C-alpha cells in the first residue's frame, strides 16, 4: 500500500515537472521546492512544501478552467477576497476550506495538509486560531 502511494506521488511530481518543464527526479522535496516561488518555499518544511504546492495547483487548475481571460494576479486577489469573509486581513483554515468547497476541490487537499500550511506559514491570532495574512496567502496561491 505504501509503495503504491509513493508511486502515485512520484507520478504526480513527474506530471508537475512536465508542466513546469523541470527534470523529474526521485528527490521530491527538491523538485517541489523548485516549483514554488523562492520566498514561499523557504517558509516551509518538505511536508509543508508539498501541501503548499497542492494548494497552489488546485487554484491554478481552477484558474485555467474558469478564468483564462484574467491575469493570474487578479484571480489570486479575487480568491483571497472571497476567502477573507470577515475582512480582517487574514485567511483562516475555515475560510480556505470554504473556498475549496465552493470551487469543488474540498476533497483534493486533506485537513492535515491545510493544518500544515497554516502551522508553518500562519500567525497565531488567538489560542485556537492560526491565520495567514492575505499578502502571504496571495504568494502561496
Amino acid at each position: 500500500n505504501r509503495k503504491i502511494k509513493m508511486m502515485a506521488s512520484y507520478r504526480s511530481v513527474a506530471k508537475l515537472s512536465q508542466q513546469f518543464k523541470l527534470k523529474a527526479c526521485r528527490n521530491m522535496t527538491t523538485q517541489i521546492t523548485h516549483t514554488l516561488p523562492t520566498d514561499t518555499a523557504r517558509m516551509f518544511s518538505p511536508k509543508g512544501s508539498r501541501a503548499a504546492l497542492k494548494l497552489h495547483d488546485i487554484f491554478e487548475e481552477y484558474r485555467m478552467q474558469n478564468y483564462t481571460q484574467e491575469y493570474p494576479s487578479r484571480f489570486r486577489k479575487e480568491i483571497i477576497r472571497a476567502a477573507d469573509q470577515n475582512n480582517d486581513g487574514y485567511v483562516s483554515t475555515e475560510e480556505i476550506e470554504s473556498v475549496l468547497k465552493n470551487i469543488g476541490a474540498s476533497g483534493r487537499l486533506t485537513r492535515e495538509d491545510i493544518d500544515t500550511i497554516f502551522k508553518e506559514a500562519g500567525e497565531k491570532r488567538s489560542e485556537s486560531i492560526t491565520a495567514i495574512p492575505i499578502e502571504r496567502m496571495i504568494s502561496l496561491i
Side-chain angles (χ1 to χ4, degrees), residues 3 6-11 13-14 17 23-32 50:
K3 188 174 184 176
M6 285 299 290
M7 286 303 288
S9 297
Y10 181 71
R11 278 191 212 118
V13 168
S17 67
K23 184 180 174 188
C25 64
R26 292 242 180 237
N27 186 347
M28 290 188 294
T29 305
T30 304
Q31 188 69 32
I32 289 168
R50 285 189 291 276

Side-chain angles (χ1 to χ4, degrees), residues 58-105:
I58 289 168
F59 284 119
E60 186 61 22
E61 205 173 282
Y62 182 76
R63 184 187 72 79
M64 294 301 286
Q65 291 173 358
N66 300 292
Y67 289 83
T68 54
Q69 299 299 316
E70 226 172 277
Y71 288 113
S73 59
R74 185 176 189 152
F75 166 76
R76 288 183 191 103
K77 289 175 185 174
E78 287 183 19
I79 286 289
I80 297 304
R81 193 174 329 127
D84 187 16
Q85 296 165 357
N86 56 2
N87 295 320
D88 64 351
Y90 289 84
V91 178
S92 68
T93 55
E94 291 78 20
E95 290 170 332
I96 203 70
E97 284 178 330
S98 173
V99 169
L100 289 170
K101 182 180 176 186
N102 288 339
I103 66 171

Side-chain angles (χ1 to χ4, degrees), residues 122-131:
E123 299 174 0
K124 276 282 202 203
R125 300 279 293 154
S126 69
E127 193 63 33
S128 61
I129 298 174
T130 301

